[in-house]
């Protein structure tokens, strides 16, 4: 699968995985058969990256949000609203 990473603009830090662990076939975004558009967006205050993907169960697409500048978070059971 694919993941979403955060990088320092000056290259001073290594890439950091924002999307956290995912199922083997999971990915960020989807093919245009489901929806098209950006793979992620930032909140207006720049604090979170929001993205859709099938990270917990293959072909089950959900919306996620990960805080920028801190570790990925996750809460809730599959199918419930959660944060990353």
């Amino acid at each position: 699968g694919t993941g979403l990473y955060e990088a320092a603009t000056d290259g001073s830090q290594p890439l950091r995985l924002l999307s956290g662990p995912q199922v083997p076939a999971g990915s960020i975004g989807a093919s245009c058969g489901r929806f098209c558009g950006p793979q992620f967006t930032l909140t207006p205050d720049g604090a979170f990256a929001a993205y859709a993907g099938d990270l917990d169960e293959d072909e089950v697409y959900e919306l996620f949000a990960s805080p920028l500048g801190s570790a990925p978070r996750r809460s809730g059971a599959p199918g419930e609203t959660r944060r990353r």
Side-chain angles (χ1 to χ4, degrees), residues 3 12 14 20-21 26 28-31 34 40 43 46 53 57 63 83:
S12 63
I28 301 297
S31 69
R34 286 279 212 181
F40 70 94
T43 57
E57 186 177 341
L63 183 61
R83 292 180 130 178

Side-chain angles (χ1 to χ4, degrees), residues 49-77:
Y51 51 95
D54 60 341
L55 305 180
D56 295 325
E57 186 177 341
D58 190 30
E59 297 298 316
V60 175
Y61 294 90
E62 299 176 275
L63 183 61
F64 298 91
S66 291
L68 298 176
S70 62
R73 291 194 304 230
R74 174 183 200 157
S75 64

Side-chain angles (χ1 to χ4, degrees), residues 13-39:
Q13 301 292 319
L15 292 176
R16 187 177 70 80
L17 181 64
L18 287 174
S19 51
Q22 62 194 45
V23 295
S27 62
I28 301 297
S31 69
C32 285
R34 286 279 212 181
F35 59 87
C36 291
Q39 299 297 305

